Each structure stands twice: as structure tokens, then as C-alpha cells.
Amino acid sequence: MNFRKGRRREDPEINLIPFIDVLLVILIFLMVTTTYSKFTELQITLPTADAQKAVEQPDQLDVTVDAKGNYTINGEPVSFRDVAGLASVLKAAARPGSDPVVVVNADQFAMHQMVVNVMEAARLAGFGKLTFAAQTGGGK
């Protein structure tokens, strides 16, 4: 039995305008109170050397690796089969009884594994001194 014939039940209405006003006030408050700190880059000062250049050149083996995977030792092309073979060629290129510095000249597009192969071959050959050549200045 419905005793209220004339009254219809109204759906509740949610007014979004005050809600939006409150959110805008909060947003403006956060924007005003936020401090914008600029992150600085890492500033380092590299050391400089004032020592005289060494008059005596130590024994050195120049190993070059190009982008195509070709190896040369002191300008002579070397075929690469495995690391042990490269180590034996390094030993043969060094003067007997010397401990040369192995200088790795790798192309910037050479695969990382090629450089690791040279490092491993130098270790197997018993050469403990290894360095990498880099281009100075802007390059090109």
C-alpha cells in the first residue's frame, strides 16, 4: 500500500562545483608553496700532472681492434681464432725477457667482446701492464 500518492521521491544530486573549487585552491596552494630546486650536475676537477715526460719509452705492444673485428699487433694484421692463439701471437711479438705494456687501440664501434679478448690474451701471455688509448680533444 502506497499512502503517499502525490509525492515522488527525488534522487539526491551531487553538486561538483564546490568540489572543483576546493581542488583548485589546493592545487594553487601546492604550486605556491613548492620549492623548485634545480639539480646540479656532478662537478669534478680532474687532476693534472706536472711531471716531465719520460725520456725512456718502455716496451709496448700496440694492439688495434677495428669495428669489423680485425686485430693488428704493432701494425701487422693478425687472424683471430681464439684467445689462446692471440696470446701466443702477443708473446711472439714481444721481446724475449721483457714485460711490455699492451696498448689497446679500439675503434669506438668495436664490440666490447673484442676488447675483452685482447685483455684476456694479454693475461694469458703473462703481461700485467695494460692500457687503453684514447683520442684527445674533440676528435674527428
Side-chain angles (χ1 to χ4, degrees):
M1 293 183 115
N2 191 1
F3 293 111
R4 298 182 187 166
K5 287 186 179 181
R7 295 177 95 191
R8 239 179 83 195
R9 186 171 187 192
E10 293 182 22
D11 292 331
E13 182 178 317
I14 297 176
N15 193 356
L16 292 179
I17 294 175
F19 178 68
I20 293 172
D21 288 342
V22 170
L23 285 179
L24 285 176
V25 168
I26 291 172
L27 180 66
I28 292 171
F29 176 75
L30 288 175
M31 286 173 46
V32 170
T33 59
T34 301
T35 57
Y36 296 102
S37 61
K38 186 177 185 180
F39 292 104
T40 59
E41 293 179 13
L42 181 63
Q43 304 259 340
I44 59 171
T45 304
L46 296 176
T48 58
D50 293 332
Q52 297 291 330
K53 280 193 169 186
V55 178
E56 200 175 295
Q57 279 286 57
D59 290 338
Q60 91 179 31
L61 291 174
D62 291 317
V63 181
T64 306
V65 181
D66 69 1
K68 295 179 184 176
N70 301 319
Y71 295 88
T72 62
I73 297 175
N74 290 336
E76 299 293 324
V78 175
S79 63
F80 179 79
R81 288 183 299 276
D82 58 355
V83 176
L86 186 60
S88 65
V89 174
L90 279 173
K91 276 186 188 178
R95 281 192 323 188
S98 67
D99 185 23
V101 176
V102 178
V103 180
V104 180
N105 299 290
D107 187 87
Q108 68 178 348
F109 298 111
M111 288 180 22
H112 183 73
Q113 183 61 47
M114 296 174 198
V115 177
V116 172
N117 289 341
V118 173
M119 293 168 57
E120 181 67 15
R123 185 189 66 81
L124 289 176
F127 302 140
K129 300 174 190 167
L130 181 87
T131 187
F132 296 94
Q135 197 170 27
T136 58
K140 300 188 184 183

mmCIF file of all heavy atoms in Angstrom, residues 47-68:
data_model
loop_
_atom_site.group_PDB
_atom_site.id
_atom_site.type_symbol
_atom_site.label_atom_id
_atom_site.label_comp_id
_atom_site.label_asym_id
_atom_site.label_seq_id
_atom_site.Cartn_x
_atom_site.Cartn_y
_atom_site.Cartn_z
ATOM 1 N N PRO A 47 92.614 15.798 -11.950
ATOM 2 C CA PRO A 47 93.984 16.160 -11.576
ATOM 3 C C PRO A 47 94.840 16.409 -12.816
ATOM 4 O O PRO A 47 94.576 15.885 -13.886
ATOM 5 C CB PRO A 47 94.472 14.930 -10.812
ATOM 6 C CG PRO A 47 93.645 13.810 -11.321
ATOM 7 C CD PRO A 47 92.304 14.406 -11.657
ATOM 8 N N THR A 48 95.857 17.210 -12.626
ATOM 9 C CA THR A 48 96.792 17.482 -13.704
ATOM 10 C C THR A 48 98.169 17.003 -13.290
ATOM 11 O O THR A 48 98.488 16.956 -12.103
ATOM 12 C CB THR A 48 96.866 18.986 -14.022
ATOM 13 O OG1 THR A 48 97.252 19.680 -12.844
ATOM 14 C CG2 THR A 48 95.524 19.501 -14.500
ATOM 15 N N ALA A 49 98.956 16.645 -14.261
ATOM 16 C CA ALA A 49 100.308 16.158 -13.982
ATOM 17 C C ALA A 49 101.311 17.227 -14.395
ATOM 18 O O ALA A 49 101.231 17.767 -15.495
ATOM 19 C CB ALA A 49 100.568 14.871 -14.735
ATOM 20 N N ASP A 50 102.247 17.511 -13.498
ATOM 21 C CA ASP A 50 103.278 18.497 -13.787
ATOM 22 C C ASP A 50 104.634 17.840 -14.006
ATOM 23 O O ASP A 50 105.632 18.530 -14.135
ATOM 24 C CB ASP A 50 103.386 19.496 -12.627
ATOM 25 C CG ASP A 50 102.132 20.356 -12.523
ATOM 26 O OD1 ASP A 50 101.478 20.564 -13.559
ATOM 27 O OD2 ASP A 50 101.807 20.800 -11.409
ATOM 28 N N ALA A 51 104.671 16.536 -14.031
ATOM 29 C CA ALA A 51 105.945 15.830 -14.156
ATOM 30 C C ALA A 51 106.454 15.914 -15.590
ATOM 31 O O ALA A 51 105.695 16.110 -16.542
ATOM 32 C CB ALA A 51 105.771 14.373 -13.751
ATOM 33 N N GLN A 52 107.759 15.736 -15.735
ATOM 34 C CA GLN A 52 108.384 15.720 -17.049
ATOM 35 C C GLN A 52 108.007 14.427 -17.768
ATOM 36 O O GLN A 52 107.769 13.402 -17.129
ATOM 37 C CB GLN A 52 109.910 15.807 -16.911
ATOM 38 C CG GLN A 52 110.377 17.098 -16.273
ATOM 39 C CD GLN A 52 110.151 18.292 -17.180
ATOM 40 O OE1 GLN A 52 110.186 18.160 -18.397
ATOM 41 N NE2 GLN A 52 109.904 19.449 -16.580
ATOM 42 N N LYS A 53 107.973 14.472 -19.079
ATOM 43 C CA LYS A 53 107.701 13.255 -19.841
ATOM 44 C C LYS A 53 108.853 12.290 -19.676
ATOM 45 O O LYS A 53 110.014 12.694 -19.558
ATOM 46 C CB LYS A 53 107.518 13.575 -21.322
ATOM 47 C CG LYS A 53 106.173 14.107 -21.664
ATOM 48 C CD LYS A 53 105.986 14.085 -23.157
ATOM 49 C CE LYS A 53 104.545 14.369 -23.480
ATOM 50 N NZ LYS A 53 104.273 14.222 -24.882
ATOM 51 N N ALA A 54 108.526 11.029 -19.689
ATOM 52 C CA ALA A 54 109.558 10.009 -19.548
ATOM 53 C C ALA A 54 110.449 10.011 -20.785
ATOM 54 O O ALA A 54 109.962 9.988 -21.912
ATOM 55 C CB ALA A 54 108.925 8.643 -19.357
ATOM 56 N N VAL A 55 111.747 10.051 -20.552
ATOM 57 C CA VAL A 55 112.697 10.053 -21.654
ATOM 58 C C VAL A 55 112.767 8.666 -22.272
ATOM 59 O O VAL A 55 112.874 8.504 -23.473
ATOM 60 C CB VAL A 55 114.098 10.500 -21.146
ATOM 61 C CG1 VAL A 55 115.111 10.455 -22.263
ATOM 62 C CG2 VAL A 55 114.009 11.878 -20.526
ATOM 63 N N GLU A 56 112.667 7.682 -21.442
ATOM 64 C CA GLU A 56 112.787 6.299 -21.871
ATOM 65 C C GLU A 56 111.414 5.750 -22.223
ATOM 66 O O GLU A 56 110.482 5.817 -21.423
ATOM 67 C CB GLU A 56 113.367 5.494 -20.706
ATOM 68 C CG GLU A 56 113.978 4.191 -21.094
ATOM 69 C CD GLU A 56 114.606 3.561 -19.870
ATOM 70 O OE1 GLU A 56 115.555 4.123 -19.333
ATOM 71 O OE2 GLU A 56 114.089 2.517 -19.456
ATOM 72 N N GLN A 57 111.247 5.225 -23.402
ATOM 73 C CA GLN A 57 109.996 4.605 -23.802
ATOM 74 C C GLN A 57 110.017 3.145 -23.361
ATOM 75 O O GLN A 57 110.930 2.409 -23.715
ATOM 76 C CB GLN A 57 109.814 4.658 -25.318
ATOM 77 C CG GLN A 57 109.302 5.981 -25.830
ATOM 78 C CD GLN A 57 107.838 6.174 -25.538
ATOM 79 O OE1 GLN A 57 107.416 6.122 -24.387
ATOM 80 N NE2 GLN A 57 107.057 6.412 -26.555
ATOM 81 N N PRO A 58 109.043 2.712 -22.596
ATOM 82 C CA PRO A 58 109.011 1.305 -22.218
ATOM 83 C C PRO A 58 108.612 0.440 -23.414
ATOM 84 O O PRO A 58 108.081 0.936 -24.403
ATOM 85 C CB PRO A 58 107.932 1.259 -21.134
ATOM 86 C CG PRO A 58 107.048 2.408 -21.450
ATOM 87 C CD PRO A 58 107.926 3.462 -22.049
ATOM 88 N N ASP A 59 108.895 -0.829 -23.305
ATOM 89 C CA ASP A 59 108.453 -1.749 -24.357
ATOM 90 C C ASP A 59 106.940 -1.705 -24.413
ATOM 91 O O ASP A 59 106.262 -1.721 -23.385
ATOM 92 C CB ASP A 59 108.906 -3.172 -24.039
ATOM 93 C CG ASP A 59 110.414 -3.321 -24.173
ATOM 94 O OD1 ASP A 59 111.019 -2.504 -24.884
ATOM 95 O OD2 ASP A 59 110.965 -4.249 -23.567
ATOM 96 N N GLN A 60 106.431 -1.653 -25.616
ATOM 97 C CA GLN A 60 104.972 -1.636 -25.728
ATOM 98 C C GLN A 60 104.541 -2.407 -26.960
ATOM 99 O O GLN A 60 105.239 -2.459 -27.964
ATOM 100 C CB GLN A 60 104.439 -0.220 -25.715
ATOM 101 C CG GLN A 60 104.262 0.481 -27.016
ATOM 102 C CD GLN A 60 103.689 1.881 -26.812
ATOM 103 O OE1 GLN A 60 103.933 2.526 -25.805
ATOM 104 N NE2 GLN A 60 102.944 2.346 -27.780
ATOM 105 N N LEU A 61 103.376 -3.011 -26.825
ATOM 106 C CA LEU A 61 102.723 -3.709 -27.926
ATOM 107 C C LEU A 61 101.443 -2.957 -28.238
ATOM 108 O O LEU A 61 100.581 -2.806 -27.368
ATOM 109 C CB LEU A 61 102.393 -5.155 -27.537
ATOM 110 C CG LEU A 61 103.553 -6.114 -27.343
ATOM 111 C CD1 LEU A 61 103.035 -7.440 -26.832
ATOM 112 C CD2 LEU A 61 104.297 -6.314 -28.638
ATOM 113 N N ASP A 62 101.321 -2.474 -29.446
ATOM 114 C CA ASP A 62 100.107 -1.772 -29.860
ATOM 115 C C ASP A 62 99.155 -2.766 -30.503
ATOM 116 O O ASP A 62 99.436 -3.310 -31.562
ATOM 117 C CB ASP A 62 100.440 -0.664 -30.862
ATOM 118 C CG ASP A 62 101.193 0.480 -30.214
ATOM 119 O OD1 ASP A 62 100.805 0.861 -29.104
ATOM 120 O OD2 ASP A 62 102.170 0.964 -30.813
ATOM 121 N N VAL A 63 98.039 -3.002 -29.840
ATOM 122 C CA VAL A 63 97.015 -3.915 -30.358
ATOM 123 C C VAL A 63 95.841 -3.059 -30.810
ATOM 124 O O VAL A 63 95.284 -2.295 -30.029
ATOM 125 C CB VAL A 63 96.560 -4.929 -29.291
ATOM 126 C CG1 VAL A 63 95.514 -5.864 -29.864
ATOM 127 C CG2 VAL A 63 97.743 -5.715 -28.751
ATOM 128 N N THR A 64 95.493 -3.178 -32.088
ATOM 129 C CA THR A 64 94.401 -2.391 -32.648
ATOM 130 C C THR A 64 93.232 -3.303 -32.973
ATOM 131 O O THR A 64 93.416 -4.384 -33.532
ATOM 132 C CB THR A 64 94.871 -1.674 -33.935
ATOM 133 O OG1 THR A 64 96.043 -0.927 -33.637
ATOM 134 C CG2 THR A 64 93.809 -0.744 -34.452
ATOM 135 N N VAL A 65 92.044 -2.841 -32.607
ATOM 136 C CA VAL A 65 90.808 -3.575 -32.904
ATOM 137 C C VAL A 65 89.911 -2.626 -33.679
ATOM 138 O O VAL A 65 89.595 -1.539 -33.200
ATOM 139 C CB VAL A 65 90.101 -4.023 -31.607
ATOM 140 C CG1 VAL A 65 88.837 -4.790 -31.927
ATOM 141 C CG2 VAL A 65 91.026 -4.848 -30.735
ATOM 142 N N ASP A 66 89.504 -3.017 -34.882
ATOM 143 C CA ASP A 66 88.616 -2.146 -35.640
ATOM 144 C C ASP A 66 87.173 -2.604 -35.507
ATOM 145 O O ASP A 66 86.873 -3.612 -34.876
ATOM 146 C CB ASP A 66 89.052 -2.039 -37.105
ATOM 147 C CG ASP A 66 88.865 -3.324 -37.890
ATOM 148 O OD1 ASP A 66 88.380 -4.313 -37.323
ATOM 149 O OD2 ASP A 66 89.212 -3.338 -39.087
ATOM 150 N N ALA A 67 86.275 -1.848 -36.105
ATOM 151 C CA ALA A 67 84.840 -2.110 -35.969
ATOM 152 C C ALA A 67 84.416 -3.410 -36.647
ATOM 153 O O ALA A 67 83.394 -3.995 -36.296
ATOM 154 C CB ALA A 67 84.040 -0.952 -36.531
ATOM 155 N N LYS A 68 85.208 -3.884 -37.618
ATOM 156 C CA LYS A 68 84.856 -5.109 -38.341
ATOM 157 C C LYS A 68 85.355 -6.362 -37.640
ATOM 158 O O LYS A 68 85.093 -7.469 -38.098
ATOM 159 C CB LYS A 68 85.424 -5.049 -39.754
ATOM 160 C CG LYS A 68 84.813 -3.949 -40.581
ATOM 161 C CD LYS A 68 85.420 -3.908 -41.949
ATOM 162 C CE LYS A 68 84.865 -2.741 -42.744
ATOM 163 N NZ LYS A 68 85.516 -2.623 -44.043
#
